[in-house]
Amino acid sequence: MFHGGESSATGLIAGCLYGLLYGLKHVPSGLYQNLEKKEKLEALGVKLYHTASAEKNLEKAEQERPQGVISLENNIAVNGRTLKQLILEHLTGPVVREILDTLLQYITQELPRLGTDTQKRPVNKDTMNKNIKKPGVRQPTSFQLLQSKYMLSNPKPALTHRREVGTLKLKQVYKLMKMDKPINETGQERKGARLKVRDMIARFAAVEQKKTKFETRDLARHVNQGPVLSNVIKRLKDLPNLQKRNGLNEHKMPECAIKYNTLGIKKAAKQKEAPKQKKAQGLFILDKQEKQVISKSASLKKHSISLGEQPSPLAVVKCSPYNLLETEQDLVCLSLTQRYGKVQRIFSDLCCTGLVHGRRLILGGLSWDCFMPWTLESCAEEAAGETRTMEKARSSQQQQQQPQHRINVPSNARERISRVDPYGFERPNDFDYESYEELMSEYLAILTKRTIKWSKFLKGRSHIEKSLKVKRYVRKGIPNEHRALVWMAASGAQEQMERNSHYYSSLLQGQHDPKLEDAIRTDLHRTFPDNVQFRKTAEPCLQKPLYNVLLAYGHHNKAVGYCQGMNFIAGYLLIITKDEEKSFWLMEALLSRILPDYYTPAMLGLKTDQEVLGELVKVKVPAVWQAMVENNVMWTLVVSRWFICLFIDILPVETVLRIWDCLFYEGSKILFRVALTLIRHNQALISQARNLPDICDCFKQITRGQFVEDCHPFMQNIFKEPGSLPMATITKLRAVCRARIIAEES
Amino acid sequence: MAYAYLFKYIIIGDTGVGKSCLLLQFTDKRFQPVHDLTIGVEFGARMITIDGKQIKLQIWDTAGQESFRSITRSYYRGAAGALLVYDITRRDTFNHLTTWLEDARQHSNSNMVIMLIGNKSDLESRREVKKEEGEAFAREHGLIFMETSAKTASNVEEAFINTAKEIYEKIQEGVFDINNEANGIKIGPQHAATNSTLAGGQGGQQAGGGCC
């Protein structure tokens, strides 16, 4: 094709479009004859066609309805005003908003232009419904609407003024957020977490005070005044009673959810002035999902909570069950949507129900507490904004007392961010907390989005089949909670494990090779000494599982036994899967299927791949190749560790895991993509090096810094920067290089 | 920095004998109780003075595990000195010396100076290999011998410097062909610069391009 990206996908799309326009007649039959799942696709096409035709036919039925109402399938009455409100409604997604814009334009401009005598005739003032459609006018199909959007000569939306919803200043508020917690929650960590919640409540209290100009203890009075705040406080106040009844149990949760739902509707109604039940339902579809999850989650884990006697909200929070349902991630994942405006709102509503209170939020592997300062703070700010006018009027009369609770948020990133990363690695002394925080504030948004997508995708799926969609999803990153699952599925490890269910334990039971045992034992304390999970004092300590996995693998694959580097790989697998057997099978998949023979005594696969990389660099980054030759640098000097450790300890942990996502799905080719990206991106630096140590330094330098820390753009880069890299090329190069090495060695 | 000569060293020996720790002690003057595994190769460099001449040591620290032997072999080429290290508390690391020596002799130039090092001399209570045994082995194979402790830094400087002295002497004796880079010795910019002050820039550049 014409570009360096996804040529196959582009070709596919182009082909589809051609087929749509001209039919199959002109397409050479060879191109589609042996198409996989052809029958199914054709059947689907027919169905699609019928559905589309049915939509067109709706107009006939339409004529039997009350005159002039455009009815969509979900029976929401549509008129200009409703549409306009929908568009103005800030909960409406951008895509939906655009479609609605077009629809509005279609109704108000296109229809009249079509020459029909459109009238606006109020039918029922009570429901604020107006009929704008004249009988006989064809109702536009969804396709037509979309078409009108993209094909119109004047595609400008009818509405240019949109309500500023308010943006969440992520950077700013992010500073308030302690982003990650160590996997092993220590008492100290909890203390830190509580502090945050207390701060939050302090904020709430402050805003509440400002808003109501009443004393904070008189809470009940404001319940219906403040949109968010008083509810939160009320719920928190109620929490002890609720929890005294043996925690948040099954019966209680759905009830709360329903409350939440009503509240949402009420709120929507209030915003709209004219309540529209249907619309409210539409807007809160999410509620239903959440309700399900909530009731589901409630049955999963009960927690008995010890509570203090103090009734104040602060006390409640202090004694709150901080780990309540901490393993339950769905709820919060679902609650978060891509758009922060919405997240904010949903969160505030959830907070009202007390349901998310104290729950840990797990997002794409990074966890922090559900009481996210930014969320609540922005809610509070919003609440404050709404009552600002009222406040102005009163402020002259009353001198406000200071907020009861002082806000005590750590002032710098170093204090806000844990010393240990989410995988248990201690951050180095020179770790740049500030830029990490900045970087993560963007990455978390991506993680959230991916988490939602993956959760949706995996729901009710027993196994994952390879497809373009999954490939795309994998490239964009697998959320940490699904990593083990997807790795197992994509690599075939799951299948192997199921087929050989007792194999792993049998490997550990038999007689062991003392030499192997010794070799593994020598490296145990040298494997991730910077990771708290691998310390002897850790509970549980991963050294024993590491030993087991390596020992089992050594016996399973006697040709390899144990080779240094494997300890790091097994270590990462244990960190992610938290399961010895899974780690063993993933290791098996990597070493026997995904990677060539990197770890056999001759290391022929490794030597070959190092040379293959050299050949690729020669073609794709000639300047670097030149520098390597001039300074007489062997590739093995600079890249052996990249291949042996699969970038562990070379690149940042998060980046390595993102690479592994693709490695398990797409195979060893990914290693070349990463290596080529690093080299090509830094070619100016490398080609400036004047001697061997300089070059070696360069190769270390290029694995550090923003470019690799920022893992999401980096992963996008590895599929762009090196350009096309067909597997056929690599296979060919491997054969050539392997033959050369064998010839040289003999 | 200007130097008269550059010597390339290689450190070899079984895994866990303290090769990387010796290097770290020599280059950084510190000890790390739990050192990272060396996979592939690591580099270190330090300037020393012998006979009033600045000499730069470029030290290649290799992976000790047997699996990596086939890769380590490619690093021997062009080394002027080798530090062959064993652990006095682990007899098997001493027993493997013969294999190491064979490998080194086979893949390096014949004039390479080899220093035998019995490391971890601070762990006297756990000693498994007597100092005499080390000395005997060295005598038998024509090596220099020393017991060191990377932890206490005892004899570490000496080990590296004595090796350099030996190489330097060989140069003086004309055993080493210093113009052949395969011997692991390069003439530094200090020599080049003395030839002409006017062409200093050019000379420096040349030297820079030719040496490490």
Side-chain angles (χ1 to χ4, degrees), chain A residues 523 525-526 529 562-564 567 601-603 606-607 634 636-637 640-641 644-645 691 693 696 700, chain B residues 15-16 34-35 37-43 58 60 65 67-68 70-71 74-75 208-209 211-212:
Chain A
D523 287 346
H525 71 287
R526 297 202 283 179
Y562 166 68
C563 170
Q564 286 173 343
N567 55 331
M603 291 190 157
L606 173 75
K607 288 179 191 162
M634 294 173 287
T636 178
L637 273 184
S640 57
R641 212 187 159 119
I644 292 171
C645 297
N691 52 52
C696 293
K700 288 210 168 132
Chain B
T15 180
V34 184
H35 200 277
L37 272 180
T38 308
I39 285 171
V41 71
E42 298 291 332
F43 287 96
Q58 186 197 100
W60 297 37
Q65 213 206 6
S67 322
F68 290 87
S70 67
I71 288 195
S74 51
Y75 304 138
C211 67
C212 304

Side-chain angles (χ1 to χ4, degrees), chain B residues 101-210:
Chain B
L101 207 57
E102 272 169 28
D103 242 24
R105 291 259 154 89
Q106 198 185 333
H107 295 94
S108 67
N109 70 75
S110 52
N111 291 317
M112 184 168 79
V113 175
I114 301 175
M115 161 77 84
L116 179 66
I117 290 174
N119 192 32
K120 308 198 186 175
S121 63
D122 54 295
L123 300 173
E124 193 56 54
S125 58
R126 282 163 51 191
R127 182 188 279 276
E128 282 183 14
V129 184
K130 278 186 221 141
K131 194 175 178 184
E132 292 74 35
E133 292 176 82
E135 281 166 346
F137 186 90
R139 242 189 338 266
E140 192 186 327
H141 295 91
L143 318 172
I144 334 168
F145 175 71
M146 253 181 175
E147 276 195 354
T148 62
S149 165
K151 192 175 178 181
T152 65
S154 150
N155 271 346
V156 174
E157 290 269 309
E158 289 80 354
F160 283 88
I161 291 171
N162 289 354
T163 312
K165 278 183 183 156
E166 187 90 2
I167 298 167
Y168 186 76
E169 276 167 28
K170 282 194 174 187
I171 294 173
Q172 304 300 320
E173 290 163 14
V175 176
F176 273 121
D177 174 13
I178 48 169
N179 294 315
N180 182 357
E181 279 191 19
N183 284 330
I185 299 160
K186 281 166 200 169
I187 305 172
Q190 218 173 47
H191 272 269
T194 51
N195 294 340
S196 156
T197 42
L198 277 174
Q202 201 193 354
Q205 218 171 21
Q206 265 173 2

Side-chain angles (χ1 to χ4, degrees), chain A residues 15-47:
Chain A
C16 286
L17 289 174
Y18 183 88
L20 271 178
L21 286 171
Y22 305 108
L24 275 178
K25 243 186 273 172
H26 303 284
V27 183
S29 62
L31 289 180
Y32 58 83
Q33 216 165 22
N34 299 323
L35 186 67
E36 204 182 338
K37 294 185 180 136
K38 184 171 168 238
E39 288 74 26
K40 202 172 176 188
L41 283 172
E42 280 172 352
L44 277 173
V46 171
K47 265 192 200 166

Side-chain angles (χ1 to χ4, degrees), chain A residues 511-530:
Chain A
Q511 275 285 318
H512 302 316
D513 175 3
K515 227 178 146 189
L516 178 72
E517 281 182 309
D518 202 42
I520 295 168
R521 214 171 276 131
T522 316
D523 287 346
L524 280 187
H525 71 287
R526 297 202 283 179
T527 308
F528 302 135
D530 58 337

